Amino acid sequence: MRPPVTAIGADPLPPGALEVETVGMTMRFGSFTALEDVSIRVAPGTFHALLGENGAGKSTLVKCIMGFYHATAGQLMVGRREAEIADPRDARALGMGMVYQHFTLVPSLTVAENLVISRADAPVVIDWAKERAGLEAFMAAMPFRVPLDQPVARLAAGEKQKLEILKQLYLGSRFLILDEPTSVLTPDEADEVLGHVRGLCEAGEISVLMITHKFREVTAFADEVSVLRRGRLVGQGHVADLSHAQMAAMMIGAEKEQRPVARSGLRGAPMLELRGVKAADRSGLKEIAVESLTVHAGEIVGIAGISGNGQMELMEVLTGQRAARGGEIRVQGVPYGATRAEAQSHAVRYLPEEPLRNACAPRMSVIENIAFRSFDRNGAGRRFWLSANEMRAAARDLIGAFKVKVADPDGPIAALSGGNVQRAVLARELTGEVKLLVISNPCFGLDFAAVSEIRARIVAARNAGAAVLLMSEDLDEVLELSDRVLVMSEGRITYEVPAAEAKIAEIGHYMGGHAA
Amino acid sequence: MAVVEAQGTGGGAMAALRRAEPVVIPVLALLAGLAVFALFLLTQGKSPIAFFGYVWQGAFGSAFSWMNTLSRAAPLLLAALCVALPARLGLVVIGGEGAIVLGGLAAGAVALPLAGVPAAVGLPLMALAAMLVGAVWIGMAGALRHYRGVNETISSLLLAYIAIALMNHLVEGPLRDPESLNKPSTAPLAEGLRVGMLPGMDVHWGLVFGIIACVVAWVLVERTSWGFAARIAGGNVRAAEVQGLPVGRLILGFTALGGACAGLAGFFEVAAVHGSANASLAAGYGYTGILIAFLARHNGLAILPVAVLLAGFDASSGLIQRRMDLPDATMQVLQGIVFMAILMSDAAYGRLPFFKAKG
Ligand SMILES: Nc1ncnc2c1ncn2[C@@H]1O[C@H](COP(=O)(O)OP(=O)(O)OP(=O)(O)O)[C@@H](O)[C@H]1O
Ligand SMILES: [Mg+2]
């Protein structure tokens, strides 16, 4: 093993929470500057929030700290000493750890196995009895837990994120970077997890730098906040001194926020109908069963529920990725098999969650990814020969209209920031005539301005007569957008209520699986 | 955990570098492979300089050696397509040898009752039979993958062994020409059913068809909506499914198309080279094709120069055996080393110092 890297000073770093500071950090990708002269100090034992629009450079900054990127200029100070971090192993050796926007666990392994193999010093031959005892002791001392014997693939998103944080604590991290850790959690779960993280800060065990788009979390849990805009540090302060409006103003500068679109139009004919649809869930052990579900034209039906209760499977059944065991799916009154031709003739669009994983080819270019829906269409007809010029022109228009921040449209879409991937996919799916829109967590990882813009677009589609089926783990989002609210729990629709009469407590009750 | 170096994007210079990367990395890998091979030669007490000198002489040094090289390039072009086409869908098919062998056998067998038929009818029928058999053979690997989730790499390799055994069984049994004493073969093709040489050259027509096939494959993949759909499925099959693309049909189609190319190679081997189907069909072209496709990054146009290069190595092996007293297997050692280098170079994308986005 390599010794921990400390450039200056041979003494080991003091125990407990680390102090971490970036000094004049600058990062260029080719001619594009993602980060310019950013200096942020996270004092030991504090909880520091990092805010910024999509593409502002937040992930880039933390990747520079963790050694994934090598900053073009600037310095990193750890415990008041200059630290040279060549790669993430060095960062880890110093006690710095990161929890990502997306999961890094090995799905086929159990929780215990994931924890053990994550250690840099994991032995070649693992003494499981001993590790087991150690893990149990560790879990018992933690403020929150995940069952050690579960395969990670069976964990819901919320549980996975808890495990990611536990893993960092298990590795002995004393400075924790959280990149949008709560995107996949319900508000209650998020409060629970962040509450524990805050507790660890107050106990002086860790310092935290958290990227988030949620002001509520900043106010509730953070001590200090820094705001990035277009790669520059544009504001900093104590959370106690700042209102949400002030933070928002720092984030977006002079730009105007999208106003919510008013609802209009009448509910039309049934567009999507599910009757007795059953399918295996992802573990293959349980079943999801939707007795009856109808979405009308000009209506948004929101499905609330804690992640892992069958929403993903329902989405896959609707997209044709998962075979339904019996039952019937109709669109505009005719049986629907989710082929490309059917989706096109009925103007059905899908926005699956985690677009980079479910709706993009990461190594293909931004232009090509935007063309996925239209590359074989020529107006109303089909085309055999691709048209590179049309693809490029259409992508340019959509990138402009949806304000996707793209340094190089011919570069791989994986190089875009998380929020901008989401925007690119939305741009692709929300243009043209839309009759049925099936959406899952559309605002995952978007900044607040983008969130209100996307929600406005969804409402606008509804007003224009589209039927919208919205699955979201964000209950506020479901309540804000839906005309009708359903609750999904353990693979079933357990509750239905018109949005006007919806009560949060009642819905929460059903989300928790306490069907009356 | 690996360091993810920032992939340079943004700005014209960066875009140009990004385009250069898929050329530069395989070339460097090839050179690295050759360097390791040179070390290997030194351990054998042979001079690498002499070796590469003979390669040059035997492959490209004279009109005669060029003809020899190009003749060998013909089947290699088609064999490489058998790997490259499915690869665009993310499938690694390595059993092209089986389709070549069975394609050749089909051509030889179909020719038997066609003895008196004019070439304009007979040859297309033979070629069609060869392509059909090849398509079914590799298409089977695709079907197993799609319907049964069987790994296509393993299944295509096993199918290749079955194909060779099947061919041996048939040419030594039911299809054997009693006249063929030392080397069991099908009956020799009628004179009218032989494919001739290109005008003014000592290279058969297979070269032209191989080149056409590579160009067509490139156009199919890069310029048509089918190819685009295949690239989406290869890039992320979940995204392709959400878009409603017929992933199963694409897998079957592209594997069958690759198999048809390999089958066509078998047809030319029989109709232009051997004159009958026999064990010489299993000459290893299918395996060299794997190396070519990977070196060419599964790009139809890039296959052209790479196949000629590898054919050159092949063509010079006789000379090298004679002059340097090296065993026949030397060329396979060389191919193996280069292949390892190519596979390892995959990790280099986005990480080479001059492609790094550093200020
Ligand atoms: N590897 C890369 N190559 C080229 N450009 C990149 C790369 N990584 C990031 N960028 C660009 O740098 C900018 C900042 O990206 P970053 O991921 O830091 O944004 P972010 O603030 O985390 O946004 P989000 O809230 O959407 O996650 C973006 O415009 C992005 O396209
Ligand atoms: Mg980010």
Side-chain angles (χ1 to χ4, degrees):
Chain A
M1 253 194 65
R2 315 204 277 169
V5 197
T6 38
I8 301 170
D11 305 336
L13 291 165
L18 278 180
E19 169 171 342
V20 173
E21 183 175 3
T22 67
V23 183
M25 201 69 105
T26 298
M27 179 78 207
R28 282 189 246 285
F29 296 107
S31 59
F32 175 76
T33 304
L35 218 53
E36 192 161 3
D37 193 21
V38 174
S39 303
I40 288 178
R41 190 176 94 91
V42 182
T46 59
F47 194 129
H48 197 109
L50 186 58
L51 286 171
E53 284 183 286
N54 293 129
K58 307 178 296 294
S59 296
T60 304
L61 176 68
V62 297
K63 283 179 187 163
C64 288
I65 296 178
M66 287 301 294
F68 285 102
Y69 292 164
H70 296 159
T72 315
Q75 247 145 36
L76 183 69
M77 313 283 283
V78 178
R80 307 226 163 168
R81 293 181 207 149
E82 206 174 298
E84 276 299 332
I85 299 205
D87 64 36
R89 266 172 305 184
D90 291 346
R92 190 199 262 187
L94 284 174
M96 307 203 291
M98 177 155 167
V99 173
Y100 303 85
Q101 229 159 349
H102 300 289
F103 302 116
T104 59
L105 302 161
V106 183
S108 58
L109 298 185
T110 66
V111 170
E113 288 163 342
N114 264 286
L115 286 174
V116 172
I117 60 155
S118 69
R119 283 202 333 239
D121 65 343
V124 180
V125 179
I126 295 173
D127 175 359
W128 278 107
K130 182 169 141 263
E131 296 294 345
R132 220 16 241 223
L135 283 171
E136 264 157 24
F138 163 78
M139 261 313 166
M142 283 297 118
F144 51 103
R145 283 170 202 106
V146 178
L148 282 170
D149 292 318
Q150 278 281 340
V152 164
R154 301 242 179 101
L155 297 180
E159 292 165 320
K160 283 190 206 161
Q161 198 59 307
K162 285 192 206 163
L163 178 56
E164 291 277 7
I165 292 173
L166 285 172
K167 184 172 100 185
Q168 288 306 324
L169 298 175
Y170 177 71
L171 294 175
S173 298
R174 295 179 288 142
F175 173 72
L176 213 55
I177 293 175
L178 310 175
D179 192 346
E180 300 185 41
T182 60
S183 316
V184 289
L185 308 191
T186 63
D188 285 345
E189 278 178 315
D191 285 353
E192 188 202 330
V193 171
L194 293 181
H196 293 313
V197 172
R198 163 127 205 121
L200 291 165
C201 285
E202 282 169 358
E205 310 249 348
I206 55 172
S207 331
V208 170
L209 178 62
M210 176 175 78
I211 297 176
T212 183
H213 290 298
K214 297 175 183 160
F215 296 137
R216 193 184 65 80
E217 291 173 356
V218 177
T219 314
F221 300 103
D223 301 302
E224 278 168 278
V225 59
S226 296
V227 183
L228 294 183
R229 184 164 77 234
R230 300 193 182 166
R232 290 169 171 279
L233 182 67
V234 292
Q236 228 166 13
H238 290 285
V239 169
D241 306 336
L242 290 168
S243 69
H244 289 183
Q246 283 166 313
M247 291 187 227
M250 283 195 255
M251 268 175 72
I252 57 171
E255 288 166 46
K256 264 218 315 282
E257 191 188 340
Q258 173 85 33
R259 305 214 144 270
V261 175
R263 275 158 206 279
S264 65
L266 288 174
R267 189 167 108 164
M271 189 62 76
L272 171 69
E273 293 163 279
L274 272 68
R275 296 285 171 266
V277 170
K278 294 195 169 92
D281 84 337
R282 60 191 153 157
S283 68
L285 300 175
K286 287 189 277 180
E287 189 179 59
I288 69 152
V290 177
E291 271 307 301
S292 161
L293 169 64
T294 306
V295 187
H296 301 82
E299 174 188 47
I300 300 178
V301 172
I303 298 186
I306 297 163
S307 72
N309 272 281
Q311 298 94 326
M312 185 187 86
E313 289 85 350
L314 177 57
M315 183 75 171
E316 288 180 349
V317 168
L318 290 172
T319 57
Q321 289 171 282
R322 182 176 292 267
R325 292 189 196 143
E328 198 181 28
I329 303 175
R330 285 172 179 271
V331 171
Q332 291 188 299
V334 295
Y336 178 76
T339 62
R340 190 166 175 85
E342 283 171 297
Q344 278 174 339
S345 75
H346 293 294
V348 181
R349 304 293 171 77
Y350 302 102
L351 295 173
E353 63 187 342
E354 286 190 60
L356 197 58
R357 213 167 68 78
N358 293 313
C360 297
R363 286 170 90 158
M364 289 174 83
S365 74
V366 179
I367 292 177
E368 288 172 324
N369 270 280
I370 289 180
F372 278 10
R373 205 174 48 70
S374 56
F375 70 90
D376 57 353
R377 305 253 85 189
N378 189 1
R382 301 191 55 142
R383 72 157 75 231
F384 178 71
W385 300 104
L386 297 179
S387 164
N389 288 339
E390 271 178 42
M391 262 191 207
R392 181 171 298 275
R396 200 181 43 225
D397 290 349
L398 289 180
I399 286 171
F402 281 75
K403 304 193 203 88
V404 190
K405 293 203 184 81
V406 182
D408 174 12
D410 289 305
I413 194 161
L416 296 191
S417 81
N420 280 304
V421 173
Q422 182 83 321
R423 278 174 194 242
V425 172
L426 282 162
R428 174 177 86 203
E429 301 297 338
L430 281 184
T431 41
E433 190 195 22
V434 184
K435 286 192 188 145
L436 172 61
L437 191 58
V438 183
I439 318 176
S440 178
N441 292 318
C443 297
F444 185 112
L446 290 178
D447 67 57
F448 76 96
V451 167
S452 47
E453 183 191 322
I454 297 308
R455 290 185 182 163
R457 287 186 195 271
I458 293 171
V459 174
R462 166 205 177 275
N463 290 347
V468 181
L469 181 63
L470 166 74
M471 287 171 244
S472 175
E473 285 150 32
D474 180 348
L475 185 53
D476 295 335
E477 175 168 84
V478 171
L479 291 174
E480 178 188 326
L481 292 179
S482 308
D483 296 293
R484 219 158 22 106
V485 178
L486 311 182
V487 175
M488 191 157 193
S489 172
E490 312 222 336
R492 270 146 240 272
I493 307 279
T494 53
Y495 184 61
E496 172 173 348
V497 63
E501 295 159 29
K503 293 196 184 60
I504 290 187
E506 186 79 6
I507 290 176
H509 183 69
Y510 282 94
M511 279 169 61
H514 312 291
Chain B
M1 201 179 291
V3 185
V4 183
E5 274 304 336
Q7 211 154 359
T9 56
M14 273 327 206
L17 271 184
R18 199 185 48 240
R19 272 196 293 278
E21 203 178 26
V23 179
V24 172
I25 289 181
V27 168
L28 288 180
L30 178 65
L31 292 177
L34 295 181
V36 172
F37 180 71
L39 291 179
F40 166 77
L41 284 179
L42 287 175
T43 67
Q44 303 296 302
K46 307 283 176 185
S47 154
I49 297 177
F51 178 87
F52 290 114
Y54 286 128
V55 168
W56 175 256
Q57 200 186 326
F60 311 109
S62 64
F64 171 79
S65 44
W66 263 106
M67 297 299 154
N68 190 0
T69 297
L70 291 179
S71 305
R72 288 164 197 265
L76 289 179
L77 293 170
L78 293 162
L81 286 178
C82 184
V83 181
L85 284 170
R88 298 313 290 265
L89 271 157
L91 303 181
V92 182
V93 167
I94 61 171
E97 186 87 352
I100 295 177
V101 165
L102 287 190
L105 183 67
V110 165
L112 296 177
L114 293 178
V117 171
V121 179
L123 286 178
L125 280 178
M126 287 162 65
L128 218 61
M131 289 168 71
L132 205 66
V133 169
V136 168
W137 205 248
I138 302 298
M140 254 188 326
L144 282 170
R145 162 65 187 253
H146 181 62
Y147 294 109
R148 285 274 160 267
V150 179
N151 180 298
E152 75 284 354
T153 313
I154 310 273
S155 71
S156 66
L157 185 63
L158 295 181
L159 281 170
Y161 291 129
I162 297 175
I164 294 169
L166 199 62
M167 188 249 330
N168 283 331
H169 170 73
L170 290 175
V171 297
E172 283 166 22
L175 291 177
R176 179 170 184 175
D177 172 20
E179 312 273 293
S180 62
L181 296 175
N182 328 336
K183 193 172 203 181
S185 307
T186 57
L189 299 186
E191 210 36 56
L193 293 181
R194 298 292 302 258
V195 170
M197 296 293 162
L198 291 170
M201 286 167 80
D202 203 12
V203 180
H204 62 78
W205 276 92
L207 180 67
V208 171
F209 281 88
I211 293 172
I212 293 174
C214 284
V215 173
V216 169
W218 182 85
V219 170
L220 174 73
V221 170
E222 303 293 335
R223 291 284 180 264
T224 72
S225 58
W226 292 354
F228 196 80
R231 282 189 281 145
I232 296 176
N236 180 356
V237 72
R238 292 181 66 82
E241 287 167 350
V242 172
Q243 290 296 325
L245 295 171
V247 175
R249 256 184 286 157
L250 286 168
I251 289 180
L252 295 185
F254 271 68
T255 46
L257 216 55
C261 290
L264 189 63
F267 160 76
F268 280 110
E269 285 304 289
V270 166
V273 181
H274 304 302
S276 67
N278 55 42
S280 313
L281 275 170
Y285 288 128
Y287 301 117
T288 309
I290 304 170
L291 175 54
I292 295 170
F294 274 80
L295 263 169
R297 293 200 62 79
H298 311 303
N299 177 316
L301 292 184
I303 285 175
L304 296 173
V306 176
V308 171
L309 184 71
L310 271 278
F313 279 114
D314 232 16
S316 59
S317 81
L319 183 70
I320 285 165
Q321 272 179 55
R322 270 178 277 122
R323 297 283 175 82
M324 291 186 74
D325 191 25
L326 279 166
D328 194 21
T330 311
M331 278 301 167
Q332 276 155 29
V333 174
L334 171 62
Q335 286 194 4
I337 292 175
V338 170
F339 197 43
M340 289 306 291
I342 285 292
L343 290 182
M344 288 193 292
S345 76
D346 220 41
Y349 284 85
R351 287 211 209 159
L352 285 194
F354 43 89
F355 293 121
K356 268 188 200 172
K358 272 204 155 187

